[in-house]
Amino acid sequence: MTDDERTNDAWYSFPGAENDVVLSTRVRLARNLANFPFPQKLSGGDGERVRALLFDAFNRVEDSERYHSIFVNQLDSLGATILQERGVLPERAASERNSGIILRNDGRLACTVNIGDHVHISSFASGLDCDGAFSVCHALDLQLQQSVQFAASYDHGYLTTSLLDAGSGMKLSVRMHLPCLSLQGRLRSVMDDMASKGIAVTACFGAGGLNGVSSIGSRGAALGAFYQLTSTNSFTGSEIDQIAVVASSAKQLLEQERAAREECATAMVSDIKNYLYRSIALARYSLFVPLREAIDLISGIKLGNDLKLVNGIDAAGIHALLYRVQNGHLEFVAKNGTFQFEKDIATNTQKKNDRLRALILQEAFEHCILAL
C-alpha cells in the first residue's frame, strides 16, 4: 500500500525507526502574530481576528483541502476528549477564548490557535524521527509566513508567551518504552543524566504503582514504563543543535534499554515471563479491563514481542492500541458502532468502556503465539 493510499490513516498506524523502544516523536513550533498582544492580553475582537487570519492562512497553504478548521467552543465533550488523548488539545483549552484547531486529515499535523501562543504547529511521527517531524513542521511554518508575519527579533528569535520557548520556538518530545531499565531500578540515574542535558523525563500515562500487572510498575515512576523525553528550552543553539541533542539522547537511552533487555532476558527471565503470561491471560480472558490495567498489560505484551517471546502482532499494532483503549476512543466506537452490550451494563458508561476495551484487546491479541 502506498503512502497516497494510506493518506487518511492515523499517523500512529505506521511503523517507525527504533520501534522496539521508541513509540513516537513530536515536534512543536510556537509562533505569535506581529502587531498583536499575546493571547492572554487580547481584547475586544482581536482574538477573533487572530483566529480568522490564521484560519485564512491555512486556506492558502499547499494541499489546503487536507486541513480542517474547528472552533474549540464548538467541540462536544467527546471530540475534545479524543483530541486531548491524541496530544493535540491541552486540557485547559476549553476555557481559552477564541481558540481553534486546524487538523490535517492524517493527524500527523495539528495546530492550535490562541492556546498559549497565537499558533502551535505540531507534527507527529511514529518511531524516532526528529528530523522528519521537524521538516514537516518547518515546511508548513514557511508556507504560513507567506500569508502572515510572525513576531521575532534578531537578538531573541521568535517571541513567545514563555521565555523558555523563545528563540526557535521549538519543543521536541520522544515517547519511549523502558521496562527493563525500570526493572533494574535505573530510572533515577537516567532522569538525572537527561536533566543535565536539558531534557525532562516524565510519565506518559501517569504514575505506576504496586497494583500493576507485573510489579515492574512498582520499580519505576511511569505506568507501563512508558516515558516521554522533552526538551526544556528553545533558546540554546539553533534548531539543528536542539534536534541533535534530543535525537542523540534518545539514541543513547534506547541503547541502554536494549542492553538492559539483554541482561534481563538472562538474569530476570522469570520476571519477564510472568509479566508476559499475566498480560496475555488478562488480555484474552477478562470481561472488563480498566484503562490503567490495559496500559500495563500492553507494556508486558510489547516487551514480550520485542524480545521475540511472542509472535502474532507487530509493533505498530501494539502502539496503536495505546490510543484505541483510551476512554474517548471507546465512547466514540460505542456511540457510532452496532455493538450490543450485556443488559446489566448497558446504562453504565464506565462498565461499557471497560467491556469494549477488553474486546479490543482480545481481538488484537487473538493470534498471539507464545514462543517459549
Side-chain angles (χ1 to χ4, degrees), residues 250-264:
K251 287 179 181 177
Q252 173 193 335
L253 189 49
L254 73 86
E255 292 299 338
Q256 290 177 353
E257 171 62 24
R258 285 173 179 164
R261 291 181 186 185
E262 290 185 9
E263 295 167 3
C264 290

Side-chain angles (χ1 to χ4, degrees), residues 99-139:
S99 56
I101 305 172
I102 303 103
L103 296 171
R104 201 169 76 178
N105 54 15
D106 61 355
R108 189 177 180 190
L109 266 172
C111 303
T112 59
V113 175
N114 285 336
I115 300 174
D117 293 282
H118 290 154
V119 62
H120 284 172
I121 306 168
S122 297
S123 173
F124 303 86
S126 182
L128 182 59
D129 190 10
C130 294
D131 288 328
F134 172 71
S135 66
V136 172
C137 266
H138 184 56

Side-chain angles (χ1 to χ4, degrees), residues 46-271:
D46 282 347
E48 291 183 13
R49 188 179 176 200
V50 167
R51 183 171 60 186
L53 286 169
L54 287 166
F55 277 15
D56 181 65
F58 272 90
N59 290 329
R60 302 169 186 270
V61 302
E62 183 180 345
D63 296 327
S64 60
E65 69 280 358
R66 296 181 65 188
Y67 294 90
H68 307 278
S69 302
I70 308 166
F71 287 12
V72 171
N73 62 5
Q74 294 180 0
L75 278 174
D76 60 21
S77 60
L78 179 56
T81 297
I82 291 172
L83 291 176
Q84 289 166 5
E85 291 171 352
R86 295 192 177 191
V88 172
L89 188 65
E91 291 186 9
R92 69 177 187 277
S95 62
E96 300 282 356
R97 295 182 59 193
N98 302 310
S99 56
I101 305 172
I102 303 103
L103 296 171
R104 201 169 76 178
N105 54 15
D106 61 355
R108 189 177 180 190
L109 266 172
C111 303
T112 59
V113 175
N114 285 336
I115 300 174
D117 293 282
H118 290 154
V119 62
H120 284 172
I121 306 168
S122 297
S123 173
F124 303 86
S126 182
L128 182 59
D129 190 10
C130 294
D131 288 328
F134 172 71
S135 66
V136 172
C137 266
H138 184 56
L140 179 57
D141 182 30
L142 293 179
Q143 290 181 56
L144 291 175
Q145 292 192 48
Q146 300 300 310
S147 301
V148 295
Q149 181 181 357
F150 291 136
S153 75
Y154 181 81
D155 293 326
H156 303 294
Y158 290 102
L159 305 180
T160 56
T161 57
S162 170
L163 290 176
L164 294 176
D165 287 339
S168 69
M170 181 172 65
K171 180 171 286 185
L172 299 102
S173 301
V174 179
R175 285 192 167 188
M176 307 185 74
H177 186 223
L178 307 174
C180 288
L181 286 173
S182 294
L183 191 57
Q184 293 179 339
R186 295 169 52 191
L187 266 301
R188 176 49 57 192
S189 63
V190 165
M191 291 178 180
D192 291 342
D193 181 49
M194 291 295 126
S196 70
K197 300 175 182 180
I199 296 175
V201 181
T202 56
C204 291
F205 301 105
L210 294 171
N211 60 342
V213 172
S214 65
S215 82
I216 288 179
S218 65
R219 307 187 190 199
L223 180 65
F226 292 109
Y227 289 87
Q228 182 160 290
L229 277 63
T230 306
S231 55
T232 56
N233 73 74
S234 302
F235 52 76
T236 303
S238 65
E239 287 94 337
I240 294 174
D241 296 329
Q242 293 167 22
I243 290 171
V245 169
V246 173
S248 63
S249 298
K251 287 179 181 177
Q252 173 193 335
L253 189 49
L254 73 86
E255 292 299 338
Q256 290 177 353
E257 171 62 24
R258 285 173 179 164
R261 291 181 186 185
E262 290 185 9
E263 295 167 3
C264 290
T266 301
M268 306 182 77
V269 64
S270 294
D271 287 281

